[in-house]
mmCIF file of all heavy atoms in Angstrom:
data_model
loop_
_atom_site.group_PDB
_atom_site.id
_atom_site.type_symbol
_atom_site.label_atom_id
_atom_site.label_comp_id
_atom_site.label_asym_id
_atom_site.label_seq_id
_atom_site.Cartn_x
_atom_site.Cartn_y
_atom_site.Cartn_z
ATOM 1 N N THR D 113 22.292 3.057 -13.566
ATOM 2 C CA THR D 113 22.691 2.190 -12.464
ATOM 3 C C THR D 113 22.113 0.812 -12.729
ATOM 4 O O THR D 113 20.907 0.680 -12.970
ATOM 5 C CB THR D 113 22.157 2.723 -11.122
ATOM 6 O OG1 THR D 113 22.579 4.079 -10.987
ATOM 7 C CG2 THR D 113 22.686 1.901 -9.961
ATOM 8 N N LEU D 114 22.984 -0.204 -12.725
ATOM 9 C CA LEU D 114 22.543 -1.584 -12.949
ATOM 10 C C LEU D 114 22.818 -2.401 -11.700
ATOM 11 O O LEU D 114 23.847 -2.217 -11.034
ATOM 12 C CB LEU D 114 23.287 -2.200 -14.126
ATOM 13 C CG LEU D 114 22.825 -1.677 -15.487
ATOM 14 C CD1 LEU D 114 23.729 -0.568 -15.960
ATOM 15 C CD2 LEU D 114 22.740 -2.798 -16.491
ATOM 16 N N VAL D 115 21.929 -3.325 -11.439
ATOM 17 C CA VAL D 115 21.993 -4.111 -10.221
ATOM 18 C C VAL D 115 22.030 -5.586 -10.611
ATOM 19 O O VAL D 115 21.292 -6.012 -11.499
ATOM 20 C CB VAL D 115 20.757 -3.809 -9.346
ATOM 21 C CG1 VAL D 115 20.696 -4.730 -8.151
ATOM 22 C CG2 VAL D 115 20.779 -2.352 -8.907
ATOM 23 N N ALA D 116 22.909 -6.335 -9.955
ATOM 24 C CA ALA D 116 22.990 -7.776 -10.215
ATOM 25 C C ALA D 116 21.752 -8.451 -9.646
ATOM 26 O O ALA D 116 21.369 -8.200 -8.508
ATOM 27 C CB ALA D 116 24.248 -8.352 -9.567
ATOM 28 N N PHE D 117 21.143 -9.297 -10.474
ATOM 29 C CA PHE D 117 19.854 -9.856 -10.075
ATOM 30 C C PHE D 117 19.797 -11.326 -10.454
ATOM 31 O O PHE D 117 20.176 -11.711 -11.555
ATOM 32 C CB PHE D 117 18.736 -9.072 -10.770
ATOM 33 C CG PHE D 117 17.389 -9.292 -10.149
ATOM 34 C CD1 PHE D 117 17.032 -8.648 -8.974
ATOM 35 C CD2 PHE D 117 16.468 -10.162 -10.736
ATOM 36 C CE1 PHE D 117 15.786 -8.857 -8.392
ATOM 37 C CE2 PHE D 117 15.230 -10.373 -10.164
ATOM 38 C CZ PHE D 117 14.887 -9.716 -8.989
ATOM 39 N N ASP D 118 19.328 -12.116 -9.531
ATOM 40 C CA ASP D 118 19.142 -13.544 -9.785
ATOM 41 C C ASP D 118 17.697 -13.750 -10.222
ATOM 42 O O ASP D 118 16.780 -13.734 -9.391
ATOM 43 C CB ASP D 118 19.443 -14.328 -8.496
ATOM 44 C CG ASP D 118 19.355 -15.832 -8.721
ATOM 45 O OD1 ASP D 118 18.600 -16.271 -9.616
ATOM 46 O OD2 ASP D 118 20.017 -16.571 -7.975
ATOM 47 N N VAL D 119 17.521 -13.905 -11.521
ATOM 48 C CA VAL D 119 16.158 -13.926 -12.071
ATOM 49 C C VAL D 119 15.379 -15.128 -11.529
ATOM 50 O O VAL D 119 14.205 -15.009 -11.161
ATOM 51 C CB VAL D 119 16.194 -13.952 -13.617
ATOM 52 C CG1 VAL D 119 14.793 -14.093 -14.180
ATOM 53 C CG2 VAL D 119 16.861 -12.696 -14.147
ATOM 54 N N GLU D 120 16.028 -16.290 -11.462
ATOM 55 C CA GLU D 120 15.309 -17.477 -10.995
ATOM 56 C C GLU D 120 14.895 -17.353 -9.526
ATOM 57 O O GLU D 120 13.768 -17.661 -9.159
ATOM 58 C CB GLU D 120 16.163 -18.734 -11.194
ATOM 59 C CG GLU D 120 16.168 -19.153 -12.663
ATOM 60 C CD GLU D 120 16.998 -20.402 -12.903
ATOM 61 O OE1 GLU D 120 17.092 -21.249 -11.981
ATOM 62 O OE2 GLU D 120 17.561 -20.526 -14.007
ATOM 63 N N ALA D 121 15.836 -16.884 -8.700
ATOM 64 C CA ALA D 121 15.519 -16.746 -7.274
ATOM 65 C C ALA D 121 14.759 -15.453 -6.992
ATOM 66 O O ALA D 121 14.272 -15.248 -5.879
ATOM 67 C CB ALA D 121 16.802 -16.779 -6.449
ATOM 68 N N ASN D 122 14.683 -14.575 -8.024
ATOM 69 C CA ASN D 122 13.975 -13.306 -7.891
ATOM 70 C C ASN D 122 14.518 -12.448 -6.749
ATOM 71 O O ASN D 122 13.760 -11.861 -5.978
ATOM 72 C CB ASN D 122 12.465 -13.561 -7.709
ATOM 73 C CG ASN D 122 11.649 -12.310 -7.980
ATOM 74 O OD1 ASN D 122 12.026 -11.479 -8.812
ATOM 75 N ND2 ASN D 122 10.555 -12.146 -7.255
ATOM 76 N N ARG D 123 15.846 -12.369 -6.652
ATOM 77 C CA ARG D 123 16.425 -11.482 -5.634
ATOM 78 C C ARG D 123 17.797 -10.971 -6.064
ATOM 79 O O ARG D 123 18.423 -11.508 -6.965
ATOM 80 C CB ARG D 123 16.520 -12.197 -4.280
ATOM 81 C CG ARG D 123 17.360 -13.442 -4.317
ATOM 82 C CD ARG D 123 17.324 -14.132 -2.937
ATOM 83 N NE ARG D 123 17.936 -15.440 -3.011
ATOM 84 C CZ ARG D 123 19.258 -15.653 -2.982
ATOM 85 N NH1 ARG D 123 20.097 -14.654 -2.858
ATOM 86 N NH2 ARG D 123 19.744 -16.876 -3.078
ATOM 87 N N LEU D 124 18.243 -9.930 -5.376
ATOM 88 C CA LEU D 124 19.555 -9.357 -5.665
ATOM 89 C C LEU D 124 20.634 -10.406 -5.442
ATOM 90 O O LEU D 124 20.450 -11.346 -4.670
ATOM 91 C CB LEU D 124 19.792 -8.143 -4.763
ATOM 92 C CG LEU D 124 18.791 -6.997 -4.955
ATOM 93 C CD1 LEU D 124 19.166 -5.834 -4.060
ATOM 94 C CD2 LEU D 124 18.749 -6.542 -6.409
ATOM 95 N N ARG D 125 21.749 -10.239 -6.129
ATOM 96 C CA ARG D 125 22.872 -11.156 -5.961
ATOM 97 C C ARG D 125 24.152 -10.334 -6.003
ATOM 98 O O ARG D 125 24.107 -9.122 -6.184
ATOM 99 C CB ARG D 125 22.858 -12.211 -7.072
ATOM 100 C CG ARG D 125 23.043 -11.623 -8.451
ATOM 101 C CD ARG D 125 23.039 -12.688 -9.546
ATOM 102 N NE ARG D 125 23.305 -12.069 -10.821
ATOM 103 C CZ ARG D 125 24.516 -11.928 -11.375
ATOM 104 N NH1 ARG D 125 25.592 -12.388 -10.757
ATOM 105 N NH2 ARG D 125 24.680 -11.316 -12.527
ATOM 106 N N ARG D 126 25.300 -10.957 -5.829
ATOM 107 C CA ARG D 126 26.591 -10.293 -5.977
ATOM 108 C C ARG D 126 27.178 -10.696 -7.322
ATOM 109 O O ARG D 126 26.905 -11.777 -7.825
ATOM 110 C CB ARG D 126 27.536 -10.705 -4.849
ATOM 111 C CG ARG D 126 27.023 -10.296 -3.482
ATOM 112 C CD ARG D 126 27.852 -10.915 -2.367
ATOM 113 N NE ARG D 126 29.162 -10.310 -2.242
ATOM 114 C CZ ARG D 126 29.427 -9.229 -1.526
ATOM 115 N NH1 ARG D 126 28.456 -8.623 -0.859
ATOM 116 N NH2 ARG D 126 30.658 -8.743 -1.462
#
Side-chain angles (χ1 to χ4, degrees):
Chain D
T113 306
L114 286 97
V115 173
F117 196 78
D118 184 332
V119 175
E120 284 180 30
N122 197 32
R123 59 183 170 81
L124 298 183
R125 63 179 184 92
R126 298 170 73 87

